[in-house]
């Protein structure tokens, strides 16, 4: 029994592909990606030419398909699409991804209206048109032309197919995984509102990331976004260009109210956390899916070098974190364990004369009196970076508090960084980025307390 | 739809100031005690009853920028000044500048000017604004935005999120603003904006924060 109509999109028993089966064409490439991705269900290419492609029998039409098909991926020319939707409806297939373009994005509103009307009539839900498809890496389901995503806990909903594709390519390089990926294109039917609601209840999804150019049905968006961010963090990149909010204002305040301020207000009301770009989104989504939220905003910075520690502290304070001095008892207890030159303020500078034990004991003590910690380790070739990583990992085990590490840099810390990642720790390229993600963890904690009092009609 | 809005729509104009104040009142927003007058006798009688000094402004569907057009007299101290202001205000009348009367209300001493307003966004609907008022709104653009309807927590949040928020706490011997009343103002305005779809924009500017309550010194409602 289906728990949700959208399961047909993300967990179909079998998928049909209506489009070209010539190598290099979108239809063919999607089938190839499904096959290479290891999809477990049946794959049915549909093309009047018939024959065989990539080892699959090609069906001449939708009506010839077996009953297990739940999703059709369409990359047909415009003129063939409506009839295919009708065939889907008659066959009882309730979900279609329309990759094809040539609709409202080029001013062809008539074609898009016809698509919507036909889909409603035959009770077929549509993602697209003019989209890059979707993915569920947890079921090896890749009906898309983009780089196949690794499994992970971030669901990514994107209004731009191209940006979605670029994000997946960057994510692969970073070994960043996704629970779901959806490019909804022109949003003629299924859009961010319903996807937010679906993914808010998706067990594989720990964080929802959005790329938004402009919303439609703003009030419904507010409700869906608020309900979703009560359940899990929702992170958004909002690009500036949109026509939807332009209006002629005659009052002073009216003139000053730019579309960006209004989106900020919408995000604030619903608890959406805004980020500036893809890098921040990755950093944050990774942190949200791996770290618990801190109880407060007191952060300890543990480092073996002065400069990078101070930079991180400056950034942390600027972002509203409290880089408070440790207590006298902390200093007294820790002093005998560290190098005589160690500085027991915050940042806690262990100096270059420190290894496994110094890092472990300093971090463990810091976590007893702070809400979170940033660990900065600047390697030199003669230091045992792996041992220091183990020191951090062992200290982390003793506490359920967020720890963000910054082991730098490059080749000499490669193995150590791998150890940290295997232990479930987030390691970022600079201390400033560590401070950024920690500030957003505390923001999330605060906004959970705040948005439950938001008035959503 | 409120009957005053219906009437203004029928007549193809925005709300006149007395209508704005009356509309706000109907939504539980405190407005100054005001009187609409049409002749000099009424002006004098109203001023005496309100108490000195008074403010007198032109009420016209055509004169949008009242101050710039010489349509506002503040701090009138006596009957002579009221009579003079009366003549000067009525001298503005012409075919293009119809005058529907003059509005008189008490002059309120103040040092901080705020603005409270609403803009209706095509996607998100009514958005409430709060910030520094008077000319400072254009200088500093220090405005908080909140999507209606507002809860008490959201209204408080807006007060706290302008850069000049410490001005509400009462600096240098000034008494602090009545935060609860300002929140109430934002909330009620948001409720009014949710209900009255025909309103495109509201601009209450300046609004003076008081030790108790607030004082709306000018208001515009754009349909």
């Amino acid at each position: 029994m289906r728990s949700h109509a959208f399961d047909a999109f993300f967990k179909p028993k079998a998928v049909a592909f209506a489009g070209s089966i010539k190598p290099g064409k979108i239809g063919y490439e999607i089938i190839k990606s499904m096959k290479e991705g290891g999809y477990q269900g049946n794959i049915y290419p549909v093309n009047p030419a018939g024959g065989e492609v990539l080892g699959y029998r090609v069906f001449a039409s939708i009506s010839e398909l077996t009953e297990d098909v739940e999703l059709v991926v369409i990359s047909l020319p415009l003129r063939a699409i409506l009839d295919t939707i009708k065939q889907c409806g008659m066959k009882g297939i309730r979900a279609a991804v329309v990759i094809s373009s040539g609709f409202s994005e080029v001013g062809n509103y008539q074609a898009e209206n016809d698509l919507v009307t036909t889909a409603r009539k035959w009770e077929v839900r549509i993602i697209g048109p003019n989209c890059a498809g979707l993915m569920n890496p947890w079921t090896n389901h890749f009906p898309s032309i983009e780089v196949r995503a690794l499994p992970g806990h971030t669901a990514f909903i994107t209004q731009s197919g191209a940006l979605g594709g670029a994000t997946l390519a960057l994510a692969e390089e970073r070994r960043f995984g996704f629970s779901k990926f959806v490019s909804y294109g022109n949003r003629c039917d299924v859009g961010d509102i319903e996807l937010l609601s679906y993914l808010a209840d998706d067990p594989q999804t720990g964080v929802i990331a959005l790329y938004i150019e402009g919303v439609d049905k703003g009030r419904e968006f507010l409700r869906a976004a608020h309900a979703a961010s009560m359940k899990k963090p929702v992170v958004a990149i909002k690009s500036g260009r949109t026509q939807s909010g332009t209006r002629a204002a005659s009052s002073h305040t009216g003139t000053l109210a730019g579309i960006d301020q209004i989106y900020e207000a919408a995000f604030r009301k619903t608890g959406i956390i805004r980020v500036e770009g893809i890098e921040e989104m990755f950093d944050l989504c990774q942190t949200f899916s791996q770290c618990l939220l801190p109880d407060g905003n007191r952060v300890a910075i543990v480092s073996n070098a002065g400069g990078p520690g101070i930079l991180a502290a400056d950034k942390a304070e600027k972002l509203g974190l409290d880089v408070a001095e440790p207590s006298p008892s902390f200093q007294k207890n820790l002093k005998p364990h560290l190098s005589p030159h160690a500085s027991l303020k915050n940042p806690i500078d262990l100096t270059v004369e420190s290894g496994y034990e110094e890092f472990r004991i300093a971090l463990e003590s810091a976590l007893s009196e702070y809400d979170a910690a940033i660990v900065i380790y600047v390697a030199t070739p003669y230091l045992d970076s792996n041992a220091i990583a183990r020191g951090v990992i062992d200290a982390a085990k003793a506490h359920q508090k967020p720890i963000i590490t910054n082991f730098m840099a490059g080749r000499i810390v490669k193995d150590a960084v791998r150890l940290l990642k295997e232990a479930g720790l987030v390691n970022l390229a600079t201390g400033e980025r560590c401070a950024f993600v920690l500030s957003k963890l505390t923001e999330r904690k605060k906004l959970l307390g705040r948005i439950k009092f938001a008035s959503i009609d | 739809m409120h009957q005053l809005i219906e009437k203004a729509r029928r007549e193809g104009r925005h709300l006149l100031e007395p209508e704005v104040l009356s509309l706000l009142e109907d939504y539980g927003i405190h407005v100054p005690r005001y009187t609409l007058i049409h002749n000099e006798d009424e002006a004098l009688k109203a001023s005496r009853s309100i108490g000195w000094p008074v403010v007198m402004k032109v009420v016209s569907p055509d004169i949008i920028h009242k101050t710039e057009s010489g349509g506002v007299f503040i701090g009138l101290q006596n009957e002579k000044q009221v009579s003079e202001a009366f003549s000067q205000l009525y001298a503005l009348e012409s075919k293009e500048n119809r005058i529907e009367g003059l509005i008189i209300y008490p002059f309120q001493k103040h040092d901080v000017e705020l603005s409270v307003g609403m803009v209706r966004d095509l996607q998100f609907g009514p958005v409430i604004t709060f910030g520094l008022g008077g000319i400072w709104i254009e200088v500093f653009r220090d405005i908080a935005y909140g999507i209606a309807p507002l809860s008490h927590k959201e209204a408080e949040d807006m007060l706290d999120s302008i850069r000049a928020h410490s001005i509400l706490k009462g600096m240098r011997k000034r008494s602090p603003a009545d935060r609860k009343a300002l929140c109430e103002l934002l909330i009620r305005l948001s409720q009014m904006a949710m209900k009255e779809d025909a309103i495109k924009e509201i601009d209450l500017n300046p609004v003076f924060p008081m030790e108790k309550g607030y004082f709306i010194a000018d208001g515009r409602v754009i349909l």
Side-chain angles (χ1 to χ4, degrees):
Chain A
M1 201 169 124
R2 288 269 166 237
S3 56
H4 196 289
F6 283 10
D7 286 350
F9 283 113
F10 294 99
K11 303 169 211 169
K13 283 202 270 263
V15 190
F17 297 86
S20 173
I21 47 170
K22 285 198 195 95
K25 294 284 189 181
I26 287 176
Y28 174 91
E29 294 303 324
I30 294 178
I31 297 169
K32 193 162 161 243
S33 189
M34 288 287 285
K35 183 180 174 145
E36 286 175 0
Y39 178 66
Q40 298 294 307
N42 287 328
I43 290 174
Y44 302 112
V46 177
N47 192 291
E52 212 184 275
V53 64
L54 293 160
Y56 303 110
R57 179 192 151 192
V58 178
F59 289 75
S61 74
I62 301 273
S63 57
E64 286 175 28
L65 292 173
T66 49
E67 298 302 322
D68 57 346
V69 177
E70 291 182 308
L71 172 69
V72 173
V73 180
I74 299 171
S75 55
L76 295 163
L78 218 57
R79 61 182 188 289
I81 294 176
L82 294 188
D83 188 55
T84 303
I85 298 289
K86 180 183 162 190
Q87 300 282 331
C88 289
M90 289 169 72
K91 193 79 192 170
I93 301 168
R94 298 276 159 254
V97 175
V98 181
I99 307 280
S100 316
S101 50
F103 293 85
S104 63
E105 82 281 4
V106 293
N108 196 351
Y109 296 97
Q110 184 59 49
E112 198 150 311
N113 283 342
D114 292 346
L115 176 62
V116 173
T117 311
T118 309
R120 296 252 156 87
K121 182 174 169 196
W122 293 99
E123 291 173 40
V124 180
R125 298 303 310 268
I126 290 184
I127 289 179
N130 182 37
C131 74
L134 60 89
M135 299 185 189
N136 178 359
W138 289 96
T139 57
N140 293 331
H141 177 44
F142 298 105
S144 172
I145 41 174
E146 307 296 347
V147 171
R148 286 190 296 279
L150 298 166
H153 297 288
T154 299
F156 186 38
I157 307 173
T158 177
Q159 191 165 6
S160 156
L163 183 117
T167 304
L168 291 172
L170 287 168
E172 183 187 48
E173 204 165 282
R174 228 185 120 145
R175 311 292 297 163
F176 183 93
F178 293 91
S179 57
K180 303 282 182 295
F181 167 85
V182 201
S183 150
Y184 56 75
N186 293 2
R187 189 169 47 193
C188 84
D189 178 21
V190 175
D192 30 21
I193 294 162
E194 284 181 279
L195 289 166
L196 268 170
S197 307
Y198 178 71
L199 294 168
D201 293 325
D202 176 39
Q204 269 93 36
T205 298
V207 191
I208 301 171
L210 302 169
Y211 169 78
I212 304 173
E213 285 167 4
V215 305
D216 64 351
K217 305 182 201 122
R219 300 298 297 191
E220 279 180 50
F221 178 84
L222 293 178
R223 279 190 286 276
H226 182 263
S229 54
M230 289 292 284
K231 292 178 187 163
K232 44 189 83 164
V234 180
V235 173
I237 306 175
K238 165 75 183 74
S239 65
R241 66 195 163 87
T242 171
Q243 298 304 311
S244 65
T246 48
R247 82 196 95 72
S250 36
S251 67
H252 294 311
T253 4
T255 324
L256 296 176
I259 189 67
D260 208 56
Q261 282 94 335
I262 289 170
Y263 269 94
E264 286 283 346
F267 291 169
R268 196 166 171 75
K269 191 176 188 76
T270 55
I272 290 179
I273 296 168
R274 189 174 188 177
V275 291
E276 297 301 328
I278 296 173
E279 277 298 312
E280 278 189 9
M281 187 189 91
F282 284 147
D283 285 358
L284 210 52
C285 290
Q286 192 186 348
T287 307
F288 276 132
S289 52
Q290 288 177 229
C291 294
L292 293 171
L293 298 180
D295 288 330
N297 70 342
R298 284 167 51 88
V299 56
I301 297 170
V302 179
S303 169
N304 73 339
I310 294 167
L311 271 181
D314 287 348
K315 183 78 174 179
E317 283 189 338
K318 197 176 158 194
L319 294 172
L321 295 169
D322 184 7
V323 191
E325 297 286 300
S327 66
S329 66
F330 169 92
Q331 294 174 325
K332 192 167 144 260
N333 295 337
L334 197 54
K335 198 162 176 40
H337 300 282
L338 304 180
S339 144
H341 305 298
S343 163
L344 285 161
K345 295 191 165 155
N346 197 4
I348 300 153
D349 183 358
L350 305 176
T351 77
V352 74
E353 294 164 48
S354 39
Y356 169 88
E357 190 54 22
E358 286 80 2
F359 269 90
R360 188 193 63 77
I361 198 159
L363 182 57
E364 215 178 291
S365 320
L367 288 170
S368 314
E369 73 172 64
Y370 288 90
D371 301 309
I374 294 171
V375 180
I376 298 173
Y377 164 64
V378 181
T380 50
Y382 72 86
L383 289 172
D384 186 350
S385 300
N386 290 6
I388 287 169
R390 279 187 212 100
V392 172
I393 291 163
D394 289 346
K397 279 180 198 151
H399 296 275
Q400 297 287 314
K401 291 182 178 177
I403 300 159
I404 313 292
T405 64
N406 162 222
F407 273 42
M408 44 185 162
R411 176 179 52 82
I412 49 176
V413 292
K414 207 173 149 210
D415 289 340
V417 166
R418 189 177 42 76
L419 290 176
L420 293 170
K421 287 190 174 170
E422 282 169 3
L425 290 169
V426 176
N427 184 72
L428 300 174
T430 65
E432 296 94 290
R433 272 163 73 175
C434 297
F436 170 75
V437 296
L438 265 189
S439 76
K440 292 296 179 185
L441 282 183
T442 59
E443 185 183 322
R444 167 78 184 152
K445 176 87 179 181
K446 271 191 271 175
L447 71 83
L448 271 178
R450 196 184 70 223
I451 62 172
K452 63 176 179 227
F453 298 110
S455 180
I456 303 283
D457 69 316
Chain B
M1 191 187 294
H2 196 281
Q3 52 175 13
L4 288 173
I5 296 176
E6 240 177 70
K7 181 162 177 274
R9 266 163 68 108
R10 266 201 313 275
E11 294 170 13
R13 56 172 178 82
H14 303 307
L15 294 193
L16 300 168
E17 193 171 346
E19 293 173 325
V20 171
L21 296 175
S22 167
L23 176 70
L24 294 173
E25 244 185 323
D26 285 350
Y27 278 93
I29 293 166
H30 297 289
V31 299
R33 185 181 158 203
Y34 64 95
T35 314
L36 179 68
I37 60 102
H38 298 89
N39 58 50
E40 200 175 332
D41 276 352
E42 280 176 12
L44 295 169
K45 204 177 140 207
S47 303
R48 281 194 295 267
S49 142
I50 287 167
W52 309 101
V54 297
V55 174
M56 196 151 73
K57 296 193 238 178
V58 68
V59 175
S60 161
D62 305 315
I63 302 171
I64 303 296
H65 300 288
K66 292 187 291 268
T67 308
E68 291 87 333
S69 318
V72 179
F73 284 84
I74 58 169
L76 302 172
Q77 302 282 358
N78 51 46
E79 299 193 0
K80 188 168 165 263
Q81 289 182 358
V82 166
S83 296
E84 274 168 21
F86 180 88
S87 325
Q88 289 191 37
L89 286 171
Y90 262 99
L92 298 172
E93 190 168 27
S94 69
K95 230 181 188 171
E96 296 78 37
N97 289 327
R98 289 166 291 171
I99 290 184
E100 306 280 343
L102 306 179
I103 185 170
I104 301 185
Y105 51 77
F107 172 77
Q108 178 60 51
K109 260 180 71 176
H110 63 275
D111 50 10
V112 175
E113 296 189 344
L114 301 173
S115 69
V116 175
M118 186 279 290
V119 287
R120 193 174 296 275
D121 183 73
L122 289 178
Q123 282 305 329
F124 297 113
V127 183
I128 303 301
T129 63
F130 170 80
L132 286 184
I135 60 164
W136 304 112
I137 190 168
E138 278 143 290
V139 177
F140 293 116
R141 301 181 164 228
D142 191 8
I143 306 164
Y145 298 87
I147 293 181
L150 296 174
S151 65
H152 188 79
K153 182 91 186 73
E154 288 175 298
E156 280 204 307
D157 227 42
M158 285 178 69
L159 298 194
D160 291 333
S161 64
I162 61 168
R163 291 196 300 280
H165 63 91
S166 55
I167 217 163
L168 301 175
K169 292 187 183 117
M171 304 159 70
R172 301 195 178 184
K173 293 184 188 165
R174 285 195 191 93
S175 46
D178 185 344
R179 287 175 57 93
K180 209 172 153 231
L182 287 174
C183 286
E184 200 60 26
L185 168 60
L186 295 179
I187 293 164
R188 287 180 191 257
L189 198 72
S190 83
Q191 289 162 350
M192 179 174 114
M194 288 300 289
K195 218 161 160 201
E196 303 293 350
D197 290 339
I199 303 179
K200 281 208 193 83
E201 281 173 55
I202 303 170
D203 195 12
L204 310 181
N205 180 17
V207 174
F208 310 138
M210 317 271 284
E211 207 176 332
K212 276 206 157 168
Y214 48 80
F215 188 96
I216 299 173
D218 196 12
R220 293 206 293 151
V221 168
I222 311 284
L223 301 182

